Amino acid sequence: LQQTIGKYVKNLDPESLNVAVWSGKIELNSLELDVESINSLLDKQAEEAPNFAMPFKILSGRFESFQVDVPWSAIASRPVVLRARGLSVMVEP
């Protein structure tokens, strides 16, 4: 998760996250989006596929909570569940 989510949110503690992953239940609260990283990714994608470019820039954003449930004992037969609540994003053209 640090390598995926950690790129796009600020102040994610990798130590805590690593311990939580092995418990199978992760809940992260009050996540602030790293708008520089997200805008950089959007710019890169726009260069690669101009027809799919987003016509805006992200100014700020946050999640109230982000939960991940990993069923380690049945990982091959049960899904990993992601829940995101309270996404708020401010953009400008």
Side-chain angles (χ1 to χ4, degrees):
L1 284 176
Q2 173 63 27
Q3 294 175 345
T4 55
I5 296 171
K7 293 180 195 176
Y8 307 110
V9 298
K10 292 183 177 179
N11 303 324
L12 193 59
D13 179 16
E15 292 294 319
S16 299
L17 187 58
N18 200 22
V19 170
V21 166
W22 292 111
S23 75
K25 298 229 181 255
I26 304 159
E27 183 167 353
L28 306 169
N29 296 300
S30 299
L31 296 175
E32 183 181 349
L33 297 180
D34 184 340
V35 295
E36 288 182 24
S37 294
I38 294 170
N39 285 325
S40 176
L41 176 64
L42 292 174
D43 290 344
K44 181 179 176 187
Q45 289 178 341
E47 289 175 12
E48 294 171 1
N51 292 341
F52 296 107
M54 297 293 170
F56 55 79
K57 178 181 176 182
I58 296 176
L59 299 177
S60 66
R62 64 183 301 274
F63 281 104
E64 282 180 22
S65 70
F66 188 82
Q67 299 172 323
V68 182
D69 294 327
V70 182
W72 289 116
S73 62
I75 194 75
S77 61
R78 291 184 44 211
V80 173
V81 178
L82 305 174
R83 291 181 191 94
R85 291 194 176 106
L87 174 61
S88 172
V89 179
M90 184 181 298
V91 298
E92 73 176 2

